[in-house]
Amino acid sequence: MNFKTKIIGAFITIVCVLVVTNIFIYNNLLNIKNDLKILNESSFKSISLLLEADRDIYQSSLSMLRAINDNQLEDLDKFIQEGVYKNLKQTHERFTRFQKLIETHLPVSAQKKFENFNKLYKTLEKDTNKLVDMVKASSFYKAKKYYAKNYQKSFDDMRTMLDVFTELSYKNIDEEYAQMQKLLQNSEKSFIFSAFFSIALAIFFSIILGR
């Protein structure tokens, strides 16, 4: 084997190693970019929507409680519409947006939980309507009893389900973050391997070419 052939062979070998390693690193970077996009556009936004939904349902409950206990409200209808129903509706709207963003990133078993949430929401909505009818009819004592016996349970069940989805969402974020960290570590290892292997090859071929 002449000197020129040795030089070409050494060059091609080093280039092949670098190309293969860089392709692997580039693929990891693309995956990291995709994971970051998912975190930003789905996971983080979905958590915000879930927290807002929890706040809205809490505000609706507080407004309902005030409507029952405050007999001196000047505009009861307006207060109920803006304080009770508007917040209740926003809870469902935010949760629906949350579901669209995160559903495909959660386990298949979570689908049943989405169905349960919708059932719980309908139950709470039904209890809310009954309470509003009682308040408008000035049946405050009856409304207080119904609130304590029925509405409170429906409300607690709803918030418990929101807590379940919060835990699932944070777990999903942790898994995506762990995956991204793994890709970064693999890229770092590939870069180090590429650098050392290229140097080793260069030294090896220098020795061979020097003979």
Side-chain angles (χ1 to χ4, degrees), residues 125 162 197 203:
E125 187 178 38
L162 287 172
F197 193 69
I203 294 172

Side-chain angles (χ1 to χ4, degrees), residues 46-47 49-55 57-58 91 95 98 106 113-114 117 120 154-172:
S46 64
I47 279 289
L49 287 168
L50 203 58
L51 294 175
E52 289 171 0
D54 185 69
R55 178 202 62 197
I57 195 64
Y58 183 69
T91 299
F95 185 83
F98 158 79
L106 295 181
K113 291 181 174 61
F114 283 113
F117 177 88
L120 291 173
S154 299
F155 171 74
D156 289 341
D157 288 344
M158 273 276 291
R159 293 202 75 186
T160 298
M161 186 57 68
L162 287 172
D163 288 341
V164 169
F165 278 109
T166 300
E167 290 177 8
L168 284 172
S169 298
Y170 278 124
K171 183 179 179 182
N172 178 64

Side-chain angles (χ1 to χ4, degrees), residues 6 18 22 30 107 160 173 195:
K6 290 180 179 180
L18 291 174
N22 285 328
L30 288 178
T160 298
I173 289 176

Side-chain angles (χ1 to χ4, degrees), residues 21-35 179-180 182-191:
T21 306
N22 285 328
I23 288 174
F24 180 76
I25 293 173
Y26 179 71
N27 183 62
N28 280 349
L29 290 174
L30 288 178
N31 289 330
I32 291 170
K33 180 182 178 182
N34 183 59
D35 286 344
Q179 181 180 345
M180 193 164 53
K182 185 177 180 181
L183 288 170
L184 284 170
Q185 290 172 2
N186 288 339
S187 297
E188 183 180 3
K189 289 176 181 177
S190 297
F191 175 77

Side-chain angles (χ1 to χ4, degrees), residues 20 31 36 55 60 67-68 76 99 112 115 142 210:
V20 171
N31 289 330
L36 284 171
R55 178 202 62 197
S60 178
I68 293 171
L76 180 61
Q99 182 176 353
K112 186 67 177 177
E115 294 173 3
K142 187 178 178 181

